[in-house]
Amino acid sequence: MKKKVLSLVLSASMVSSMLPAMAHAADGSVTFPDMPNDWSTTALQSAIDNGLLNGIDGKIAASENLTRAQMAAIVTRAFGTNGNADISNFGDVNTGDWFYDAMASSVKMGAFQGDGTNLNPNANITRQEAFTVLARLFTLSGADQSVLDSFSDAGQVADWAKDPMASMVKAGYVSGDRNMLKPNSSITRAEFAQVMYNLLADYMVAGEDGTNVQGNAIL
């Protein structure tokens, strides 16, 4: 089925807390000494090339976990969100925090909702939280939740995450790990890169009009 084409606006740096010390190869491409050579390599390189991930102190740090604030920074900048929601009712964000605008923007766009009291910006984002955010942003919902039954840990998926998790699985963007969804585990930078690679069929240059894309696209 042909999916909706999304037009996103990418900034040069996608995570404000990750100030990179990048090395460059002779051809000008960004290189990292700790780039893994495994299932995540292609997705990580794609995320680097297209501005979704930058390095941390000159390393790609593929196995490190993403925090909720870092995820908010990525999605708000990627989607070109303008303006902030009033998040003064959340007790764990302050106007002086580096992530304040990212969290406020992510709440305005509906990506993050918090628990009513806190937004938990410094907590590692779990896989089910990350998949829920992405499902909201890519308008994925309504899948038959029985698709989760094929995973041995389906019972660990929170009620609020069942629809987005099922929708991500049904659409083929999430396949699990050794028959497990690991919903409560933190998502790593490599895992995030892989899911984004699965979600995005194409990266388009501004000015490319009338292009048909099977899947989602970033502009």
Side-chain angles (χ1 to χ4, degrees):
M1 178 182 295
K2 189 172 181 178
K3 306 295 192 304
K4 179 164 105 176
V5 176
L6 299 179
S7 239
L8 312 182
V9 181
L10 290 175
S11 65
S13 173
M14 298 305 297
V15 186
S16 58
S17 69
M18 301 177 183
L19 300 178
M22 292 182 281
H24 292 80
D27 61 0
S29 62
V30 177
T31 61
F32 295 97
D34 63 332
M35 176 65 83
N37 183 20
D38 59 17
W39 57 268
S40 66
T41 306
T42 299
L44 281 166
Q45 192 61 57
S46 178
I48 294 164
D49 292 343
N50 291 286
L52 288 175
L53 284 179
N54 286 321
I56 303 175
D57 296 328
K59 296 183 178 181
I60 193 57
S63 62
E64 290 195 15
N65 298 323
L66 279 181
T67 67
R68 289 170 55 84
Q70 290 167 355
M71 184 91 177
I74 291 170
V75 299
T76 56
R77 292 179 181 182
F79 280 78
T81 306
N82 293 316
N84 295 340
D86 180 2
I87 57 173
S88 58
N89 59 311
F90 295 102
D92 57 355
V93 288
N94 300 296
T95 54
D97 296 329
W98 71 262
F99 49 73
Y100 185 86
D101 286 342
M103 296 305 299
S105 292
S106 71
V107 170
K108 181 176 181 179
M109 69 193 295
F112 283 77
Q113 298 175 352
D115 60 12
T117 303
N118 295 306
L119 283 169
N120 301 305
N122 292 311
N124 291 335
I125 192 164
T126 65
R127 288 165 57 84
Q128 67 181 353
E129 289 171 341
F131 298 158
T132 297
V133 168
L134 293 174
R136 288 171 184 160
L137 294 175
F138 285 87
T139 60
L140 298 169
S141 64
D144 186 344
Q145 294 181 16
S146 65
V147 72
L148 300 177
D149 294 341
S150 61
F151 297 95
S152 61
D153 58 352
Q156 298 177 24
V157 178
D159 288 343
W160 51 264
K162 287 180 179 178
D163 178 74
M165 290 279 279
S167 298
M168 290 284 283
V169 170
K170 183 66 175 179
Y173 300 134
V174 173
S175 58
D177 176 19
R178 288 167 291 185
N179 198 41
M180 298 177 70
L181 287 168
K182 300 181 179 179
N184 296 304
S185 296
S186 300
I187 193 167
T188 66
R189 287 161 59 83
E191 290 170 339
F192 165 78
Q194 185 63 60
V195 175
M196 289 301 291
Y197 186 79
N198 295 345
L199 273 162
L200 296 166
D202 200 9
Y203 291 81
M204 299 167 63
V205 178
E208 288 183 350
D209 298 322
T211 302
N212 292 321
V213 177
Q214 288 295 119
N216 306 302
I218 271 186
L219 173 62

